[in-house]
Amino acid sequence: MPLLLALRGGVAGRKRSAWLGAWLLLGLLQPASVSAQARLSNTPPPVLLPGQSPDSLIVFSAGCPDSVRRRVRVHRILILGNAKTRPRVLLAELDFAEGDSLEVNDLRARLEINRRRVFNLQLFHAVLWQVSCRGREGVSGGDITLTLIVRERWYLFPVPIFSLAERNLRAWAARPDHWQRVDYGLHLVQNNFRGANEQLTLNLQHGFDRKYELFYTIPYFDRRRRLGLSVGASLRQSHSLDYATFADRLQTYRSPSDFPLRRVALSAGLRWRHTIERLTRLTLNYRTDHITDSVLQFNPRYLGRTGVTQRAFLELEIYRTVNRRNTFGYPLTGSYLEFGGRFRFSPGPNGPLEGQLDVNYARYIPLPRQFYYAAEIQLQGRLTRTVAYPDNRALGYGNTVRGYELYVADGQQAVTVRQGLSRRLLSVARLPLPTRAGSRFGDVPLALYLNLFADAGLALDASAAARQNTLVNRPLGSAGLGLHLVTYYDRVVVLEAALNHRRQPTLVLTANFPI
């Protein structure tokens, strides 16, 4: 068995490398023999720490690559540990193929970039490269064999639905009938469907809001593995409807015997996907909204025109995403950029309903002593001043200034800035569970971060309803502290306490990374 070296910089890296080297020296990696590869496939790489990818999980055979040579040729790419995932899914993420020539000086960095791409498919707990040379040790013929070792996740998630029919916990508790605003049902997600990284999602929800939804995404279907497809269908019926905003709060009409809102949506889209980091989406949506006459008693222009109880429109979405974060679940380094627009057209004589442009940019910067800084800016601009009430949304729906969870700010234009400084308090690579070795649930990683944050936002509303709300057309600000718990399957639990400009404290529990 040749001597194996784990390459990684830094003090923490040397500790991990020593551990990884000892692990490898026990005979887990012996690519020169078929029997060794069989043992390796049964002993997957260790689960990565949550919230980060190591700077390098790449193992080289001694004397490989030959330091005299400037370039080496990729003789073969092997994949181990993919019991379900098809090899073409992983090969599509690599920026090289068998037969390509690679620079020796940039080899480790090149492999690390590609390892992170495979890891950010979010199909695996761990991803590892192993590099070996052809020929006798020290007299390589200039060819290398690359072995990509993965540890698969669990892909089928049937999750019972028990949710609150509100924007957040604080807003739900403030409702006088909050115990009646509960939804239940089944949320079924099949990731890596057919082993091709396809996703199938089914929602069957009853209760206060009823939803019946089916979504299917194919990452690519062409020979170049670039062009993908997404389709979806949704039916929503609700016993309640937010018909207006007054004093920065949603005003709700509720009918226990009827559905004030009935919505049907169909979608089909193309996805141009160069790698997991770069994606362009072109989606065509068709939607119909039906409201009852009772809603018109509270807001006669709910759908944009007086007395109208139904509408139908086509919506074209074009968005481009450049995602260079180190991990998608809880990023600590890198950047994220998404920009594009959506344009709605009515099949009737009234022309376009609405046009909207969006930009979202985030930057993640590592600092000394396990500190991390993150900042994000979101811009929204509508091309029409007059829109229907359900389309006149700015802050408090999906784009939120923390500390204002009880309120919403409507408008056509909006800007939000969020920033946070985090310090890692705890990082446990493995919590042993009583399961067999190599199980997908055998090791549970945990990481805990303390976060100090400050947010700001502005919503500009030119409609007549702006006179009855105080949070529009003025800057908003907040600051606070949070705890972020990151664990298995990129799950994030966030507990945040904030103080807004009105000096009102809030305490919110969510399950999404805030930036």
Side-chain angles (χ1 to χ4, degrees), residues 23 138 193 196 262 270 286 295 433 464:
W23 176 66
F193 184 57
R262 184 177 184 270
L270 294 176
Y286 175 75
V295 177
L433 295 178

Side-chain angles (χ1 to χ4, degrees), residues 355-377:
Q356 177 177 319
L357 300 177
D358 300 292
V359 178
N360 182 13
Y361 178 74
R363 187 76 172 89
Y364 308 89
I365 303 174
L367 302 175
R369 300 182 180 275
Q370 299 188 22
F371 280 93
Y372 302 92
Y373 175 76
E376 178 186 40
I377 181 170

Side-chain angles (χ1 to χ4, degrees), residues 133-178:
C133 294
R134 300 182 68 194
R136 299 189 308 274
E137 183 176 338
V139 289
S140 167
D143 289 354
I144 59 174
T145 297
L146 300 177
T147 305
L148 185 63
I149 311 156
V150 297
R151 182 173 184 177
E152 290 189 326
R153 297 184 178 187
W154 187 263
Y155 298 125
L156 179 62
F157 293 92
V159 180
I161 295 176
F162 183 80
S163 60
L164 310 178
E166 256 305 342
R167 296 172 293 113
N168 52 66
L169 181 61
R170 290 274 299 179
W172 175 81
R175 297 278 189 177
D177 59 342
H178 57 270

Side-chain angles (χ1 to χ4, degrees), residues 157-162 184-189 202-206 211 213:
F157 293 92
V159 180
I161 295 176
F162 183 80
Y184 57 90
L186 177 65
H187 175 72
L188 180 65
V189 178
L202 175 66
N203 285 323
L204 299 175
Q205 177 178 303
H206 281 263
K211 293 181 182 180
E213 299 175 325

Side-chain angles (χ1 to χ4, degrees), residues 81-154:
N82 56 322
K84 180 174 182 179
T85 309
R86 299 181 183 180
R88 63 180 175 85
V89 172
L90 309 183
L91 296 176
E93 300 303 322
L94 307 182
D95 60 7
F96 56 82
E98 291 182 354
D100 288 354
S101 179
L102 305 179
E103 288 279 354
V104 171
N105 292 336
D106 299 331
L107 182 58
R108 189 175 71 169
R110 184 85 170 266
L111 292 177
E112 176 59 21
I113 291 173
N114 285 269
R115 190 194 65 80
R116 289 189 179 186
R117 287 177 179 172
V118 174
F119 179 73
N120 280 325
L121 288 172
Q122 297 181 304
L123 300 178
F124 311 106
H125 290 307
V127 178
L128 181 86
W129 275 117
Q130 192 227 352
V131 185
S132 60
C133 294
R134 300 182 68 194
R136 299 189 308 274
E137 183 176 338
V139 289
S140 167
D143 289 354
I144 59 174
T145 297
L146 300 177
T147 305
L148 185 63
I149 311 156
V150 297
R151 182 173 184 177
E152 290 189 326
R153 297 184 178 187
W154 187 263

Side-chain angles (χ1 to χ4, degrees), residues 380-382 384-385 387 392-395 409-415 457-463 466 471-476:
Q380 168 190 300
R382 289 196 173 92
T384 51
R385 294 184 57 184
V387 295
N392 194 37
R393 295 185 170 186
L395 304 180
D410 299 333
Q412 299 82 53
Q413 283 76 40
V415 56
L458 174 65
L460 300 179
D461 189 5
S463 68
L471 294 183
V472 298
N473 302 321
R474 61 158 299 167
L476 308 178

